[in-house]
Amino acid sequence: RNGTRHKENATTLAPVAAERNTRSATARRRKQNASQMIIESLAPTRVDLAGGTLDIWPLYLFHNNSQTINFAIDCYARCRLIPRRGRTIELVSLDLKMREIFPSLAALNQDIANQKRLRLPLLARLVLAFEPQGGLTIKTTSGSPAGAGLGGSSALNIAVCGALSRFTGRKLPRPKLIE
């Protein structure tokens, strides 16, 4: 009787063990695929109708209860985040034709701490804020030329934050994003 019972338990437990192995293998594949996933995000630029720069520091300090009225237009800032093996961080602005490479997040942090002049400071500071655990390449482009007054850098900020948030699984609090 014990032999039969033992055999039944082994038979009963075999599918459970197989299911656990399948689940852990699936989880490993998901993790591996996530590290290979390309993330693309975009954000619309805007046209200011009134109060255009009154929402920017320090101007809002001089104008109580200032308001800005604007609307989004069909002109986008785009971000493409490509995970890479190792710890290298590559930042590329396609429209500005600029590129910057850091051997690691620690190297990027050190360059900022040493006040090294960065080619792409917005991208570098955003990467540092999200603290990715692995290497990545970020490629950006904007339909709004620099200095056009269409909020291109704000839209780029939003697009990059969206991609980094998805990549790292972190959502920064609003004060940190504004910083």
Side-chain angles (χ1 to χ4, degrees):
R1 247 179 123 191
N2 279 344
T4 307
R5 195 166 166 191
H6 178 68
K7 195 173 186 180
E8 286 174 1
N9 283 343
T11 306
T12 307
L13 293 177
V16 173
E19 184 180 334
R20 274 193 208 126
N21 289 339
T22 303
R23 273 190 270 160
S24 62
T26 302
R28 279 194 303 274
R29 275 195 303 278
R30 263 195 212 122
K31 187 175 181 182
Q32 185 179 20
N33 290 341
S35 69
Q36 297 171 353
M37 176 175 46
I38 294 174
I39 301 167
E40 294 182 326
S41 64
L42 58 100
T45 56
R46 68 174 191 278
V47 172
D48 292 327
L49 298 175
T53 57
L54 295 179
D55 59 339
I56 299 173
W57 183 89
L59 295 179
Y60 67 80
L61 298 174
F62 302 111
H63 303 278
N64 290 333
N65 299 320
S66 63
Q67 295 182 355
T68 298
I69 300 169
N70 55 41
F71 61 91
I73 59 174
D74 196 16
C75 180
Y76 294 92
R78 299 173 189 276
C79 174
R80 183 179 177 122
L81 189 151
I82 306 159
R84 50 189 301 162
R85 294 182 191 271
R87 300 181 316 173
T88 301
I89 295 170
E90 179 183 25
L91 308 175
V92 180
S93 171
L94 297 172
D95 46 336
L96 297 178
K97 297 178 177 64
M98 292 180 152
R99 182 173 173 235
E100 204 159 16
I101 296 179
F102 302 92
S104 66
L105 185 64
L108 169 58
N109 190 25
Q110 186 174 4
D111 283 354
I112 288 175
N114 293 335
Q115 298 180 353
K116 180 184 173 197
R117 185 167 168 81
L118 302 170
R119 289 178 161 171
L120 300 166
L122 175 63
L123 298 182
R125 290 182 186 281
L126 289 173
V127 168
L128 189 60
F130 279 90
E131 301 174 330
Q133 297 300 306
L136 57 85
T137 296
I138 291 180
K139 294 182 179 183
T140 63
T141 187
S142 179
S144 169
L150 297 176
S153 61
S154 297
L156 184 62
N157 186 355
I158 291 166
V160 173
C161 283
L164 284 166
S165 178
R166 179 74 183 256
F167 179 67
T168 63
R170 290 186 66 201
K171 291 187 179 183
L172 296 182
R174 185 171 280 179
K176 185 71 174 170
L177 285 173
I178 293 170
E179 182 186 298

